[in-house]
């Protein structure tokens, strides 16, 4: 069962305007399925295939002569020097939609693109399903506990897989393949423990020193390992917002997982009911909401422009963005019943924003949308249109 992706129209439009279109994202987020669906006439070449990889590495000119147009090159970052030859090829041929590049290791892919294909490529990211995509295909979970437990990877929905089995296999495959290809991690069990410790810190400002101490490695190693998780799209960092405030502010980014289902599995969630009393219930709920806001921006072909705000007195806004001079501030609460205290940080923030207009939102674990004096209330089921 193929579930349509909201990025489709943007990809098709860009292929008619640029010689190269690039699509990055986590493994099994549906990149290959989407590209084959949108471009059925294109030849598909995976550079994880040893024979194709050797061909591209040892004889790049003949490789591109063989695959001269209308080609999907998957995991193209595996052959970094191919980007230099792609530049010459597309400049000489001047064919829009000539190559579609995809990859699951963002830093390596972007390094090749920025060095060789700048101005010739349209860039996109594809993450696991958004709520908008699940709604359009009648796959929307009935509770946020089930949504967190299932996560959003396409295979879970399209093949009716058990989430705990899927995530166990996904994580082990990731450790064995991507981690070893990106860096020399000598103790994989230590790295596994590091990722689980990261899951326990979602929604919190990142402290490298304490994470290093808890893992049993140096802060330098933690920084390198965190870079691996970001490069392979397993996690993302939400940066702090600084402008227009004179109070002391938290300067560390907040850590989130790209898919909340993997984070939940790493934290021992094995059925939706486990979340009823789980210590990370609120953090996982926040992760789910923030990740969906991020997906919505990528679905529109935009770069991520989301932040959080926290001062030294622990006043915090979970998600913040600026649009046309207006600050859009969102508080995220997993409670199903609205409590007036949910608005406390929004009220404080609005009072301290000076003359800058502030639009306030509350996302909660209930079902009904409401309009309150201190902000618009949205159910977790209806996140579209805020950012």
């Amino acid at each position: 069962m193929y579930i349509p992706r909201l990025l489709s129209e943007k990809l098709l439009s860009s292929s008619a305007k640029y010689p190269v279109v690039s699509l990055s994202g986590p493994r099994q987020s549906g990149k290959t399925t989407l590209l084959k669906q949108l471009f059925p006439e294109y030849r598909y070449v995976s550079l994880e295939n040893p024979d194709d990889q050797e061909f591209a590495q040892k004889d790049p000119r003949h490789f591109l002569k063989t695959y001269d147009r209308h080609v999907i090159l998957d995991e193209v970052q595996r052959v970094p020097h191919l980007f230099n030859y792609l530049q010459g090829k597309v400049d000489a041929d001047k064919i829009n939609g000539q190559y579609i590049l995809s990859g699951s290791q963002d830093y390596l892919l972007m390094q090749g693109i920025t060095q060789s294909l700048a101005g010739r490529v349209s860039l996109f990211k594809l993450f696991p399903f958004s709520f908008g995509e699940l709604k359009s295909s009648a796959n929307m979970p009935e509770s946020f506990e089930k949504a967190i437990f299932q996560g959003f990877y396409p295979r879970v929905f399209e093949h009716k897989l058990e989430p705990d089995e899927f995530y166990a296999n996904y994580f082990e495959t990731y450790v064995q393949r991507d981690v070893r290809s990106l860096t020399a991690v000598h103790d994989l069990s230590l790295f596994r423990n590091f990722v689980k410790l990261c899951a326990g810190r979602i929604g919190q400002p990142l402290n490298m020193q304490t994470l290093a101490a808890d893992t049993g490695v140096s802060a330098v190693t933690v920084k390198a390992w965190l870079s691996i998780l970001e490069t392979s799209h397993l996690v993302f960092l939400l940066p702090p917002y600084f402008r227009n405030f004179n109070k002391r502010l938290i300067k560390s980014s907040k850590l989130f997982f790209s898919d909340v289902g993997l984070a939940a599995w790493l934290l021992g969630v094995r059925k939706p009911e486990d979340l009823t009393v789980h210590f990370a219930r609120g953090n996982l709920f926040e992760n789910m909401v923030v990740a969906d806001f991020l997906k919505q921006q990528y679905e529109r072909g935009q770069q991520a422009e989301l932040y959080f705000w926290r001062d030294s007195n622990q006043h915090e806004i979970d998600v913040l963005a600026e649009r046309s001079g207006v600050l859009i501030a969102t508080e995220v609460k997993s409670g199903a019943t609205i409590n007036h205290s949910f608005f406390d940080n929004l009220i404080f923030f609005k009072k301290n924003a000076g003359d800058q207009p502030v639009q306030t939102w509350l996302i909660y674990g209930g079902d009904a949308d409401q309009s309150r004096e201190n902000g618009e209330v949205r159910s977790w089921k209806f996140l579209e249109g805020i950012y």
Side-chain angles (χ1 to χ4, degrees), residues 58-342:
K58 294 187 175 179
D59 198 350
R61 287 191 176 86
H62 278 85
F63 177 84
L64 294 178
K65 185 176 181 180
T66 302
Y67 299 106
D68 57 344
R69 66 180 63 193
H70 294 164
V71 181
I72 299 168
L73 295 177
D74 201 1
E75 300 297 340
V76 67
Q77 77 280 348
R78 298 286 186 185
V79 188
H81 73 277
L82 188 62
F83 289 98
N84 296 322
Y85 294 90
L86 277 168
Q87 175 188 336
K89 180 69 173 170
V90 300
D91 285 351
D93 294 349
K94 294 180 170 36
I95 302 170
N96 284 335
Q98 187 169 9
Y99 291 102
I100 310 292
L101 310 182
S102 67
S104 57
Q105 295 171 4
D106 196 49
Y107 172 74
L108 298 177
L109 182 61
M110 289 303 301
Q111 189 178 44
I113 286 172
T114 55
Q115 289 177 357
S116 303
L117 295 174
R120 305 165 178 86
V121 59
S122 184
L123 303 170
F124 296 95
K125 293 182 186 290
L126 184 72
F127 284 84
F129 289 138
S130 65
F131 278 135
E133 290 167 333
L134 293 182
K135 288 177 190 174
S136 66
S137 59
N139 281 287
M140 187 70 176
E142 64 271 16
S143 70
F144 77 75
E145 291 89 354
K146 186 173 182 181
I148 291 172
F149 168 66
Q150 282 185 311
F152 297 87
Y153 275 96
R155 286 186 64 83
V156 173
F157 292 88
E158 294 173 348
H159 298 279
K160 309 297 182 185
L161 300 180
E162 290 297 324
D164 57 339
E165 182 179 345
F166 169 80
Y167 287 110
N169 292 329
Y170 181 90
F171 183 57
E172 192 56 36
T173 301
Y174 164 75
V175 169
Q176 295 293 340
R177 293 176 64 180
D178 281 8
V179 172
R180 283 185 166 174
S181 69
L182 287 167
T183 189
V185 176
H186 302 293
D187 190 337
L188 290 177
S189 63
L190 203 60
F191 183 84
R192 291 185 185 93
N193 189 49
F194 161 75
V195 181
K196 291 179 180 179
L197 288 169
C198 286
R201 285 166 166 77
I202 56 175
Q204 302 175 26
L206 188 60
N207 187 315
M208 296 281 190
Q209 296 294 335
T210 59
L211 182 54
D214 291 346
T215 306
V217 297
S218 69
V220 173
T221 298
V222 160
K223 187 175 181 180
W225 285 1
L226 190 64
S227 178
I228 293 171
L229 297 185
E230 286 187 272
T231 294
S232 49
H233 297 286
L234 229 65
V235 304
F236 65 92
L237 297 177
L238 190 69
Y241 183 89
F242 291 115
R243 283 191 289 166
N244 301 331
F245 294 92
N246 296 321
K247 296 178 180 290
R248 289 185 59 193
L249 301 177
I250 298 297
K251 297 182 179 180
S252 298
S253 296
K254 287 170 69 172
L255 177 67
F256 292 100
F257 273 64
S258 299
D259 189 82
V260 70
L262 176 59
W265 178 83
L266 289 166
L267 291 174
V269 175
R270 297 297 179 262
K271 56 184 184 298
E273 293 75 21
D274 291 349
L275 288 161
T276 305
V277 294
H278 198 281
F279 76 92
R281 171 187 170 92
N283 298 75
L284 289 167
F285 182 80
E286 182 181 348
N287 195 144
M288 179 183 70
V289 171
V290 175
D292 200 73
F293 285 151
L294 198 69
K295 292 172 192 175
Q296 291 178 39
Q297 294 194 328
Y298 288 137
E299 286 169 348
R300 296 192 294 267
Q302 300 172 347
Q303 294 300 307
E305 293 183 335
L306 298 176
Y307 307 88
F308 81 99
W309 179 89
R310 179 189 283 186
D311 68 12
S312 58
N313 294 318
Q314 304 304 304
H315 297 110
E316 180 175 347
I317 296 298
D318 294 321
V319 189
L320 188 67
E322 189 170 3
R323 297 285 184 274
S324 302
V326 177
L327 289 171
I328 304 172
T330 300
E331 187 76 354
V332 182
K333 299 291 186 182
S334 62
T337 303
I338 299 172
N339 188 301
H340 183 73
S341 65
F342 289 178

